[in-house]
Amino acid sequence: MAAEERTLNFNVGVLGHIDSGKTSLAKALSTTASTAAFDKNPQSRERGITLDLGFSSFSVQIPEHLTGTGYTRLQFTLVDCPGHASLIRTIIGGAQIIDLMMLVIDVTKGMQTQSAECLVIGQIACHKMVVVLNKTDLLPENKRQAAIDKMTKKMQKTLENTKFHGSPIISVAAKPGGPESPETVTAQGISDLIELLKSQAYLPKRDPSGPFLMAVDHCFSIKGQGTVMTGTILSGSINLNDNVEIPALKVTKKVKSMQMFHKPISRAVQGDRLGICVTQFDPKLLERGLVCTPESLHTIHAAVISVHKILYFKGALNTKSKFHITVGHETVMGKVMFFSLSPDSEPQELPPNTFDFSKEYQYQDCYLTKDSVTSDPVKKEDENLPKQQWALLEFERPVTCPKLCLIIGSKLDTDIHSNTCRLAFHGELLEGMEEKNYPETFLPKLKVFKMKHKEGQAERVNDDYSVIGRSLFKKETNIQLFVGLKVKLSTGEDGVIEGSFGQSGKFKIRIPNGLQPETKKTLSASSKKKSKSSKGDSESTQVEEVRADGQPVLITLWFKRYVFDPHKKMIQT
């Protein structure tokens, strides 16, 4: 048993464009294939592409820089992620369990749309990368090295502005002669790649505490024994005879036996590849999904997330628009609303991975970037972008996920041949809303406000301390709701709405400090002008009240309204 516990499992994600040779590379590297290896899907065998996360492994002596860690062997688990465009959700599902990313590039083609998307996912979900230039056998021998050097330089430039700048780049031929060549053909450059992977391996941070959570990628039954679920432990640990919950089926099962790459074990921790055998259930009900400590996962209808726009996404991120939201292993349509801390909030930043319901937040029409043009007048005055932005996501159907999990928003319906990145934003789930009636119970706690701005005109002087205004409200508006709100005249005076005046939507404003003589003169002159011109005209004739400089005297009303306030109160500060 001791020897088993001294094998360090290190997850390497094999990502890249379709046909870059990822599966051939995984095969060339692997000696031990787990149950999920090399994509058993008949459809993918026919088409020669990988349709699912494939897992396989090989192990080596623990490298020198990891001696003294208590481990004797290093097992590389290769997570072969599909490159087929519509399967991006599978990659995102796999990205959260990856310690090192191997980006496979077809040396004859270079970076393609999906390789760029894989790079983006890597930047979000991974810290270390190795670039593998594959298919070097397709280059003419006399120009081979020059072509490899040129592509290496190109890749170095591509990685320059990413967190992977300076990543090692290596060239191989995983399947010389292409997919049709016989299995006996020897791959080139693989032993150098293994040495490189060994040098890049590190002791991943594994935390056995907290609830157990495993991403299941395959499920099958063994006659007379039970149903086996294979996957990778995302968090926590598990022991023989523990109970686990399968949230998708709403059932709890007992762990009868466990294996790690065909060897029986009694305990496994975060980062391990694992097969769990439980009492029988129909494996078709759980092709992929999550298994966890009973009652540790939450099914949510909406969420507040931290949000960051993905640099390569060309479109705008607009409030009220819909995105494909990937949460753990699920992808669901969701509507989004962006917001940030109120400009007068202190401090101007919250600690990462936290959300504070006691703070005031300002509604945004879109995610704000240097280029975003926003119709929000407050933001126009304040050119400083908010330090943090958040989003409220409302899902079209409930999703089951762990707390603080990674979220990615994409436009997966974009044409896969249009050479653009479909990943739009990423973030972390901070608050999940479990109740179906969250709009009534939960959202009013979220203090997101909109600044509202109305403009009308002063019609005439009533007396030294009041004026009559119009065009601020519609005829049918209940002006009583606005009584007591402050307004400002374009001539500089502050006023307060006192009530309606007549039936046509006009209103009276009290000016506590009195009207300036100049304003009185302007308004008196204009009302005289109006009464002259309106003789014989109908009551409704409207004449602009203009100042000496030709401008009407405007009345401006500012207030804020909380988006989720059921009473729609208007608030002035």
Side-chain angles (χ1 to χ4, degrees):
M1 186 58 215
E4 236 101 44
E5 288 173 350
R6 295 211 297 271
T7 299
L8 171 64
N9 185 52
F10 191 78
N11 296 315
V12 178
V14 189
L15 287 90
H17 194 80
I18 184 170
D19 288 341
S20 57
K22 298 183 301 298
T23 305
S24 304
L25 184 63
K27 275 186 177 160
L29 281 165
S30 295
T31 50
T32 312
S34 83
T35 51
F38 312 132
D39 201 5
K40 297 191 166 45
N41 189 313
Q43 186 194 356
S44 70
R45 286 204 165 157
E46 268 165 46
R47 293 161 61 193
I49 61 170
T50 307
L51 279 178
D52 211 332
L53 286 174
F55 289 87
S56 53
S57 79
F58 64 95
S59 71
V60 293
Q61 275 306 115
I62 201 88
E64 209 170 295
H65 67 283
L66 291 176
T67 51
T69 54
Y71 292 100
T72 51
R73 289 196 69 73
L74 171 63
Q75 172 175 278
F76 287 103
T77 294
L78 302 175
V79 187
D80 177 18
C81 300
H84 193 253
S86 63
L87 300 164
I88 208 150
R89 59 185 67 97
T90 320
I91 302 180
I92 299 169
Q96 299 174 66
I97 50 179
I98 290 170
D99 301 315
L100 171 85
M101 175 169 149
M102 198 154 59
L103 183 63
V104 186
I105 302 284
D106 179 336
V107 72
T108 64
K109 293 179 180 160
M111 280 290 266
Q112 293 165 272
T113 312
Q114 287 157 251
S115 7
E117 288 180 341
C118 292
L119 186 56
V120 169
I121 291 167
Q123 288 219 85
I124 295 164
C126 195
H127 300 294
K128 232 176 172 188
M129 186 171 81
V130 168
V131 178
V132 180
L133 303 177
N134 193 17
K135 303 195 179 184
T136 53
D137 56 299
L138 300 181
L139 299 167
E141 215 162 319
N142 56 343
K143 296 180 184 161
R144 188 169 296 168
Q145 200 47 53
I148 289 171
D149 292 345
K150 190 178 173 186
M151 188 56 76
T152 302
K153 280 208 176 81
K154 222 172 172 174
M155 286 306 301
Q156 283 165 339
K157 187 127 192 64
T158 302
L159 299 179
E160 226 166 56
N161 299 320
T162 73
K163 69 153 125 174
F164 299 123
H165 57 87
S167 288
I169 300 172
I170 190 169
S171 55
V172 304
K175 189 86 192 279
E180 301 310 312
S181 65
E183 292 294 329
T184 48
V185 172
T186 314
Q188 297 156 13
I190 297 298
S191 50
D192 290 343
L193 175 56
I194 289 175
E195 287 309 309
L196 176 61
L197 290 174
K198 278 165 71 174
S199 73
Q200 296 296 307
Y202 59 91
L203 198 59
K205 281 198 176 84
R206 306 286 198 219
D207 181 8
S209 67
F212 165 74
L213 178 65
M214 177 165 117
V216 174
D217 41 68
H218 279 71
C219 198
F220 54 92
S221 55
I222 297 176
K223 214 171 178 172
Q225 288 189 38
T227 302
V228 174
M229 302 176 282
T230 67
T232 303
I233 303 178
L234 299 179
S235 68
S237 60
I238 186 164
N239 297 296
L240 215 52
N241 298 323
D242 279 357
N243 281 333
V244 292
E245 182 188 355
I246 305 165
L249 310 183
K250 298 194 168 44
V251 296
T252 299
K253 297 274 180 186
K254 191 174 189 171
V255 177
K256 292 169 70 179
S257 64
M258 301 196 293
Q259 279 194 2
M260 214 184 283
F261 288 100
H262 312 305
K263 292 176 186 167
I265 50 158
S266 59
R267 176 176 164 81
V269 299
Q270 183 191 49
D272 283 338
R273 273 295 295 164
L274 185 65
I276 298 179
C277 183
V278 298
T279 44
Q280 198 81 42
F281 68 87
D282 181 357
K284 286 195 193 72
L285 298 174
L286 186 78
E287 181 45 40
R288 43 168 3 105
L290 297 165
V291 181
C292 62
T293 300
E295 296 181 7
S296 63
L297 284 188
H298 305 271
T299 298
I300 57 173
H301 296 265
V304 171
I305 66 161
S306 62
V307 66
H308 306 275
K309 183 173 181 180
I310 287 166
L311 211 58
Y312 310 100
F313 183 73
K314 292 287 180 274
L317 303 183
N318 293 321
T319 283
K320 292 186 180 152
S321 52
K322 286 186 174 179
F323 290 88
H324 291 87
I325 310 291
T326 301
V327 189
H329 276 216
E330 288 196 69
T331 298
V332 57
M333 289 304 287
K335 192 173 73 168
V336 63
M337 179 191 88
F338 297 100
F339 57 94
S340 55
L341 273 170
S342 163
D344 40 16
S345 173
E346 282 299 328
Q348 265 291 285
E349 218 168 331
L350 296 184
N353 302 341
T354 58
F355 188 75
D356 187 345
F357 282 99
S358 69
K359 294 261 185 265
E360 300 252 311
Y361 298 91
Q362 185 158 304
Y363 173 92
Q364 295 172 184
D365 288 322
C366 61
Y367 180 89
L368 297 175
T369 62
K370 283 193 177 74
D371 316 318
S372 61
V373 180
T374 168
S375 58
D376 189 331
V378 174
K379 287 288 176 203
K380 276 187 182 163
E381 289 164 25
D382 173 19
E383 287 308 327
N384 303 324
L385 287 173
K387 289 191 172 72
Q388 292 161 308
Q389 296 181 56
W390 291 270
L392 169 70
L393 298 181
E394 299 186 74
F395 305 123
E396 285 190 356
R397 62 173 170 80
V399 289
T400 299
C401 58
K403 286 198 164 145
L404 287 179
C405 67
L406 174 69
I407 302 256
I408 296 185
S410 341
K411 286 280 189 193
L412 296 181
D413 39 12
T414 310
D415 176 18
I416 60 168
H417 303 297
S418 70
N419 199 14
T420 59
C421 176
R422 296 165 303 155
L423 309 180
F425 62 84
H426 68 96
E428 206 159 81
L429 193 145
L430 303 176
E431 293 285 342
M433 299 166 212
E434 295 180 47
E435 293 173 22
K436 204 171 181 176
N437 62 339
Y438 70 89
E440 291 83 53
T441 57
F442 195 99
L443 290 185
K445 289 196 285 190
L446 186 56
K447 294 194 247 178
V448 177
F449 64 84
K450 282 184 184 183
M451 287 307 294
K452 294 282 193 179
H453 163 246
K454 283 176 167 291
E455 217 168 62
Q457 286 178 11
E459 184 171 280
R460 60 185 172 83
V461 176
N462 191 47
D463 57 39
D464 288 354
Y465 289 90
S466 63
V467 296
I468 303 301
R470 63 171 174 79
S471 306
L472 191 64
F473 305 111
K474 294 192 178 110
K475 199 172 175 177
E476 60 275 14
T477 304
N478 178 4
I479 293 175
Q480 212 43 44
L481 297 173
F482 294 85
V483 169
L485 291 184
K486 298 173 200 144
V487 293
K488 199 169 187 75
L489 302 192
S490 53
T491 45
E493 294 91 337
D494 292 313
V496 177
I497 297 174
E498 244 185 5
S500 54
F501 185 83
Q503 300 300 308
S504 57
K506 291 182 185 176
F507 53 95
K508 190 174 170 186
I509 292 171
R510 187 166 49 81
I511 313 287
N513 297 326
L515 286 163
Q516 297 170 36
E518 191 54 41
T519 310
K520 268 170 68 177
K521 205 163 132 192
T522 304
L523 287 172
S524 305
S526 67
S527 41
K528 273 180 199 153
K529 219 187 290 174
K530 178 181 175 183
S531 54
K532 258 186 207 165
S533 67
S534 64
K535 271 184 189 158
D537 289 348
S538 71
E539 183 74 37
S540 63
T541 310
Q542 293 205 336
V543 178
E544 289 255 305
E545 293 67 41
V546 288
R547 308 203 311 243
D549 60 7
Q551 295 297 315
V553 178
L554 300 177
I555 299 165
T556 308
L557 167 66
W558 281 97
F559 58 89
K560 66 183 183 189
R561 188 175 259 166
Y562 292 105
V563 177
F564 303 114
D565 173 15
H567 308 297
K568 302 266 185 276
K569 284 201 293 276
M570 290 166 283
I571 289 153
Q572 289 182 320
T573 44

